[in-house]
Amino acid sequence: MSLALISTHTASASSSIDITSGITSSYDSYEFHFVNMHPATQHVHWQFQVNASGQSGFNETITSSHVVSYHNEGGTDYAVAYSGSYDQAQGTAYQSMFYNLDYENDESCSGVLTLYAPSSTTYVKQFTSRVQGNHHSANYSMESYVAGYINTTGAIDEISFKFHSGNIDAGTIKMFGAS
Amino acid sequence: MGIGTGSVSLGDIQTEYGGSNPIGLSEYYGKGNAPASGEIQLWADFQGTSSGTHTLLATVTASASGSLSFTSGIDSTYDVYEFRFENMHPATFGARLAFQMDGGSGYATAMTTTNYLVEQAESDSETYFGYRTGRDQHDGTGYQPISGNIATNSDDAASGILIIFGPSSTTYVKHFMSNANVSGNGFSDNNHVAGYFNTTSALTRISFAMSSGNIDAGQIKMYGIGT
């Protein structure tokens, strides 16, 4: 697989990062690498949504699964579990890829979202994500596996990232085309 | 991954640097060794060049090695570093591949991690999905296992990918995640490990070792992603 860097987006007290160009049929899949996404608000969820070509708003229908693995620095709490509050069943909300991210100065989340064949007009659009970050205020390490599909056969050409509340204080998202 | 040093086609350039069809050479101004404008020459400007977005930085190969380390090349050049390890074979039955990082004071950086296992037996008689205590750490400074127990049969080994985010940051703790699969004694073990190094100091070196005994064989490649 070869990755081509298409664009870089840096947050600075941004309400969202919207990527509105560059998602085309040029690549089979797209990878979004987000590094040290830092929220302005405590206990927020890192999310994305997409927009289909010719439509308006980031509100496509998503069915998804959400699994987390967590462990606190004190060593007293750990598990791997399904997160039923952060999946969607034909929902049109922003999809949470990581929940309850803490906001201390050295805390953030990083990960990779892969969007497969967004330009297909035959198939629904599958996605997978894996995110690692600082969970909750009690010093947890948490990893999230989120996957699902955007239930449309329309081509996807825009994507939006945000926290469910408050601004993106800092962080970088790079969009790669994979071929 | 880079364009070879042989003949260069427009397809090679598109694969490496992207671009839409129909291919227009002006899309590649400033790429490789191409000028910002004017004439572009396929061979002279692109032969042996790389987009730099998934760049192989170094390869280490084990041969009855106590550890394998990358002691240079981890710096602020890249946001993300990826380590692909293939066919890591231990000298000692049941050893796990593990890693640590260092910012200059030894391979003992505190980390908090998670570890869960998805397992299936060749016989289809046993499966497992669950958290693995004893293979995680809570502000521990040991080497972090990123594989399950590897058997020493000649065809058993562990392979996978470890990703480190922002190792050169002096603001944030350092997040990482790995996924490795092990074949051993009739089982497929898929280990998911993630966590963070609890330091805001830059980490510049990484070491891989078996939890017990030598790394009999195997290869690790370090890539930089995203300039």
Side-chain angles (χ1 to χ4, degrees), chain B residues 58-87:
Chain B
T59 301
V60 292
T61 303
S63 178
S65 308
S67 65
L68 293 174
S69 301
F70 297 90
T71 58
S72 64
I74 301 176
D75 53 35
S76 59
T77 303
Y78 297 95
D79 299 327
V80 179
Y81 286 79
E82 182 177 279
F83 300 85
R84 291 179 176 249
F85 43 95
E86 295 181 358
N87 293 329

Side-chain angles (χ1 to χ4, degrees), chain A residues 57-75:
Chain A
F58 293 104
N59 52 14
E60 301 301 328
T61 301
I62 293 174
T63 293
S64 61
S65 59
H66 195 134
V67 170
V68 297
S69 179
Y70 57 83
H71 187 199
N72 65 348
E73 288 183 11

Side-chain angles (χ1 to χ4, degrees), chain A residues 3 33 174 176, chain B residues 1 50-58 73-75 77-83 164 167 221-227:
Chain A
L3 290 180
H33 293 203
K174 293 190 174 183
F176 297 91
Chain B
M1 297 295 187
S50 167
S51 64
T53 58
H54 198 206
T55 304
L56 176 62
L57 300 176
I74 301 176
D75 53 35
T77 303
Y78 297 95
D79 299 327
V80 179
Y81 286 79
E82 182 177 279
F83 300 85
I164 314 281
K221 293 187 175 185
M222 178 171 74
Y223 296 88
I225 300 177
T227 58

Side-chain angles (χ1 to χ4, degrees), chain A residues 37-55:
Chain A
M37 306 311 297
H38 182 73
T41 306
Q42 190 176 35
H43 296 171
V44 291
H45 318 324
W46 177 235
Q47 303 177 319
F48 84 99
Q49 244 293 7
V50 296
N51 182 39
S53 178
Q55 304 298 310

Side-chain angles (χ1 to χ4, degrees), chain A residues 1-3 5 26-27 36 38 69-73 75 78-80 105-106 108 110 130 132-134 141 145 174, chain B residues 1 15 18-19 53 79 112-114 116 131 133 136-139 171-173 175 178 192 194-196 198 226-227:
Chain A
M1 181 185 72
S2 175
L3 290 180
L5 177 62
S26 296
Y27 296 96
N36 289 332
H38 182 73
S69 179
Y70 57 83
H71 187 199
N72 65 348
E73 288 183 11
Y78 46 80
V80 58
N105 289 339
D106 63 350
S108 66
S110 297
R130 194 176 180 197
Q132 160 66 29
N134 299 95
S141 175
Y145 264 108
K174 293 190 174 183
Chain B
M1 297 295 187
T15 297
T53 58
D79 299 327
T112 294
T113 64
T114 58
Y116 70 93
Y131 195 89
T133 58
D136 57 2
Q137 295 195 71
H138 52 95
D139 255 346
T171 301
Y172 297 106
V173 301
H175 294 290
S178 72
H192 299 251
Y196 56 85
N198 199 1
T227 58

